[in-house]
Amino acid sequence: MSEIKSEVRDGMRIDWDVPIRMDDGNVLRADVYRPVAEGKYPALVSYGPYGKGLAFQEGYKTAWEIMVKENPDAVAGTTNQYQNWEVVDPEKWVPDGYVCVRVDSRGAGRSPGFLDHNNARENKDFHDCVEWAAAQPWCSGKVGLNGISYYASSQWRCAALQPPHLAAICVWEGWADYYRDSVRHGGIACTFRKHWQDMQVKTVQHGRGTHGPKSRVTGELVCGPETLTDAELVKNRTDMWAGVLGNSLANNDYYRHRTADLSKVIVPVLSAGNWGGQGLHPRGNFEGYSRAASKQKWLEVHGGSHWAPFYTDYGVRLQKKFFDFFLKGKQNGWDKQPRVTLQVRHPGEKFVERHESEWPLARTHWTKLYLDPDSTRLSPDKIKSNKSNTYDVFGEGITFSMPPLEKETEITGPIALKLWVSSSTADADIFAVLRVFDPAGKELVFQGALDPHTPIAQGWLRASQRKLDPKLSLPHRPYHTHDEKQPLKPGEIYELDVEIWPTCIVVPKGWRVALTIRGRDYEWEGEATHLSNMKNPMRGCGPFLHDDETDRPPAVFGGKVTLHMGPERPAHVLLPVIPSK
């Protein structure tokens, strides 16, 4: 590895490839962007696998082009030479007196080592990188964590280790529970991780050397100077998908190491979620905000793409106000900032900012709508006779709909679905989709975090993993233990509680709210779209699909499911209806 190179360019002092030695002797590499003037400044540290030398524009071409087109303020006021996927642009932070430290995680980019994502070793590395930064002569001793997705989710786990110099974290669209938020929705394996490792991680694994990209800025090899064989690269990384398939239940060290103990997160927190992030992030942002032990915590929720809001003037202003208060001690009014800021979603990609005091909202009118088997309606009245509906798992399922709304109605918060089901096989996967239709019958979809045609809300549950945790379950958010499998006896009826992830939508008068229950992923009826860094086409669920036959063998999950409704089985959906202030 070459010696540290330090230079002044674009108004910053940049130290390239700074070594950070871990307690086991492994040396990670970081780029450090800092003010030219000597002094002590707070540091923002990020730690992740996407290659600190890989330009956003090169590694994530279509995402970059969409951001430039739709959010020009995200790329204004900067040369964009140092833009990197999902971490801060140093040109927007260093002039305001921050040091930006980008660490390539173990086994990724220019940091050698065995690549094993989100495990206990990575968590310890991140903790030690925080303490390393705090001890540098250019640091004030206060360190914050900022970044999106991988660079966000890891913050929960790092903060739970309580590094002494960690002063605040901004978790921007980051999951907290590896099992429930990320790889096994309701117990069903999500194939995103299989493709993610292929498309976004193996491409920048340390040791690709001359087979990998070069930095546009330094000309150095993004994946280190050493070029390993394919066999050596395979030996140097874990098989993430094998880990997911091999660990179908949550009660083991595999998931414990990769899931934050939120009761140990005590630093100030800004948790920023995306309504359209179904399948990966928002559940972690809501759960993290609600369950973190910190007494100083704030929740912000926005819409739009997964990447752009973080870089926009809106996003940067919010982050800076938070960090200026906790890392610099600026009396900028953050202590009076409302605890919850919602960009309330309306049809037509319209968002209206509103401040609240808590989550879920205290004034929520929790509204039960019963599934009526005769009319397939969502009804405020209980069903008076026992009936049932059956659907083929590989078909379109059954859609229950409200009549056209008599007045504008806001639905904001978590959603719970109560079902009684029987299956023709020994198990069944439930896919629940909350949908909205205009008076002409056209479905309302939104630009999701990744998929441009995302429905209003989704939930999932594997029937054999229906067991609830009585301590953590809430009426509006069932919490499943996922610690044992309870197979179904074909034809026998079982009670299920399905968690549907939080959402927000103001539904106009005359429009309809509907709930589809089916046995496979939702699909939007229009033409699919593509992102350069994603393997599968976007058809409504983005890359967050549940279509692996190893996890869902047709013999077990390919039968017929019957929904049972009636006086003894009051199947219903619990909606968070918000009255006007």
Side-chain angles (χ1 to χ4, degrees):
M1 192 70 75
S2 58
E3 292 300 315
I4 300 170
K5 179 183 177 184
S6 184
E7 60 180 327
V8 174
R9 50 185 297 164
D10 298 308
M12 301 179 289
R13 163 67 67 181
I14 308 175
D15 305 323
W16 303 106
D17 259 359
V18 179
I20 308 177
R21 185 171 295 276
M22 298 292 101
D23 60 356
D24 64 349
N26 197 63
V27 176
L28 306 181
R29 293 282 169 166
D31 292 339
V32 179
Y33 302 82
R34 52 194 175 98
V36 175
E38 293 293 326
K40 290 184 177 291
Y41 304 96
L44 294 177
V45 178
S46 59
Y47 172 101
Y50 294 138
K52 62 183 175 59
L54 180 65
F56 190 146
Q57 301 92 315
E58 184 179 337
Y60 298 83
K61 185 175 183 293
T62 49
W64 177 262
E65 290 169 351
I66 292 168
M67 183 167 75
V68 169
K69 179 181 177 182
E70 297 181 355
N71 303 93
D73 61 322
V75 297
T78 166
T79 69
N80 293 305
Q81 288 189 87
Y82 312 97
Q83 287 275 25
N84 207 196
W85 178 245
E86 296 187 339
V87 294
V88 301
D89 178 355
E91 288 186 274
K92 291 190 175 184
W93 287 84
V94 172
D96 281 352
Y98 284 92
V99 177
C100 298
V101 181
R102 287 180 182 167
V103 186
D104 274 342
S105 57
R106 183 178 293 244
R110 293 182 68 83
S111 292
F114 184 76
L115 188 63
D116 191 0
H117 301 289
N118 313 125
N119 68 349
R121 180 67 256 181
E122 272 206 355
N123 301 337
K124 179 67 164 61
D125 284 352
F126 200 178
H127 168 286
D128 291 354
C129 287
V130 169
E131 291 306 294
W132 172 86
Q136 299 311 298
W138 38 255
C139 187
S140 66
K142 285 190 177 291
V143 177
L145 307 180
N146 199 7
I148 314 173
S149 190
Y150 197 105
Y151 299 98
S153 63
S154 56
Q155 294 179 41
W156 294 121
R157 300 189 303 280
C158 179
L161 297 179
Q162 299 181 358
H165 292 89
L166 182 59
I169 63 173
C170 174
V171 183
W172 198 279
E173 300 188 32
W175 53 267
D177 184 321
Y178 189 60
Y179 188 98
R180 293 166 181 82
D181 303 350
S182 179
V183 300
R184 283 194 166 270
H185 302 135
I188 310 167
C190 174
T191 55
F192 169 67
R193 288 294 172 195
K194 176 167 63 172
H195 303 318
W196 174 77
Q197 191 173 37
D198 285 342
M199 299 291 286
Q200 293 180 247
V201 177
K202 284 157 57 170
T203 52
V204 285
Q205 182 181 351
H206 181 81
R208 289 202 71 221
T210 55
H211 296 155
K214 281 187 176 180
S215 166
R216 289 183 172 190
V217 179
T218 65
E220 295 281 357
L221 294 168
V222 168
C223 303
E226 189 179 15
T227 303
L228 303 178
T229 65
D230 287 345
E232 288 171 319
L233 289 169
V234 169
K235 195 175 178 181
N236 244 6
R237 65 175 181 256
T238 189
D239 182 337
M240 178 172 260
W241 184 238
V244 174
L245 289 179
N247 292 276
S248 60
L249 296 176
N251 58 333
N252 59 34
D253 284 344
Y254 181 81
Y255 290 113
R256 273 191 285 270
H257 291 164
R258 291 165 171 81
T259 297
D261 182 347
L262 295 168
S263 71
K264 294 181 179 176
V265 176
I266 57 175
V267 296
V269 174
L270 172 57
S271 179
N274 187 325
W275 300 120
Q278 300 159 39
L280 187 55
H281 296 116
R283 185 183 187 278
N285 284 111
F286 290 110
E287 290 288 307
Y289 170 74
S290 299
R291 295 171 57 200
S294 174
K295 290 180 170 58
Q296 296 173 296
K297 53 185 180 179
W298 288 263
L299 175 69
E300 185 274 348
V301 197
H302 51 267
S305 71
H306 168 56
W307 53 90
F310 180 79
Y311 297 97
T312 60
D313 291 345
Y314 167 80
V316 174
R317 272 197 305 267
L318 187 70
Q319 296 157 43
K320 280 186 179 175
K321 188 175 181 183
F322 173 71
F323 283 121
D324 280 354
F325 185 82
F326 287 109
L327 269 59
K328 292 183 174 181
K330 276 192 179 180
Q331 296 307 303
N332 57 10
W334 183 267
D335 52 331
K336 298 179 178 62
Q337 175 83 5
R339 287 303 174 108
V340 176
T341 299
L342 305 180
Q343 300 296 333
V344 178
R345 189 162 62 167
H346 297 249
E349 301 290 345
K350 180 184 175 187
F351 296 86
V352 179
E353 184 169 308
R354 189 174 73 214
H355 294 145
E356 300 286 351
S357 302
E358 71 290 307
W359 180 267
L361 308 189
R363 68 182 188 282
T364 302
H365 179 56
W366 296 103
T367 303
K368 282 186 181 179
L369 295 174
Y370 296 90
L371 279 56
D372 186 330
D374 289 330
S375 61
T376 59
R377 282 198 170 190
L378 293 175
S379 170
D381 303 316
K382 290 185 177 180
I383 309 307
K384 294 180 180 178
S385 60
N386 293 323
K387 297 284 180 67
S388 64
N389 292 106
T390 299
Y391 62 88
D392 189 310
V393 162
F394 296 124
E396 297 301 312
I398 302 172
T399 297
F400 297 86
S401 177
M402 293 175 69
L405 292 172
E406 295 179 0
K407 63 178 182 178
E408 180 181 86
T409 302
E410 179 183 338
I411 298 169
T412 296
I415 298 165
L417 174 62
K418 171 77 78 174
L419 296 176
W420 279 263
V421 308
S422 60
S423 173
S424 64
T425 63
D427 212 338
D429 286 343
I430 303 296
F431 294 74
V433 189
L434 190 74
R435 306 165 75 182
V436 168
F437 295 87
D438 72 11
K442 182 181 179 182
E443 184 173 7
L444 174 67
V445 290
F446 278 87
Q447 168 63 58
L450 292 171
D451 197 303
H453 303 104
T454 301
I456 302 305
Q458 296 186 75
W460 310 263
L461 182 64
R462 176 154 290 175
S464 62
Q465 292 178 222
R466 60 193 176 276
K467 180 182 171 185
L468 292 172
D469 184 326
K471 291 182 180 177
L472 289 175
S473 287
L474 298 166
H476 54 263
R477 197 272 284 122
Y479 192 98
H480 299 88
T481 59
H482 296 298
D483 62 359
E484 65 173 307
K485 295 180 182 179
Q486 301 174 330
L488 313 183
K489 291 182 180 178
E492 197 164 308
I493 299 171
Y494 298 89
E495 182 179 349
L496 306 182
D497 293 273
V498 183
E499 174 189 4
I500 298 178
W501 287 13
T503 191
C504 172
I505 181 64
V506 177
V507 187
K509 177 182 176 181
W511 293 41
R512 292 182 299 113
V513 176
L515 176 74
T516 298
I517 299 168
R518 52 193 282 153
R520 60 187 177 93
D521 287 302
Y522 166 89
E523 285 190 10
W524 185 65
E525 292 181 352
E527 186 178 348
T529 58
H530 298 264
L531 284 175
S532 61
N533 57 303
M534 298 291 162
K535 184 167 283 189
N536 60 285
M538 306 281 157
R539 292 195 172 95
C541 292
F544 307 112
L545 300 177
H546 308 79
D547 56 1
D548 184 84
E549 288 198 357
T550 305
D551 180 67
R552 303 188 70 212
V556 179
F557 295 96
K560 293 184 183 294
V561 172
T562 301
L563 306 177
H564 300 268
M565 295 148 278
E568 297 170 3
R569 302 185 183 100
H572 64 269
V573 62
L574 184 67
L575 291 182
V577 176
I578 309 300
S580 299
K581 278 191 173 182

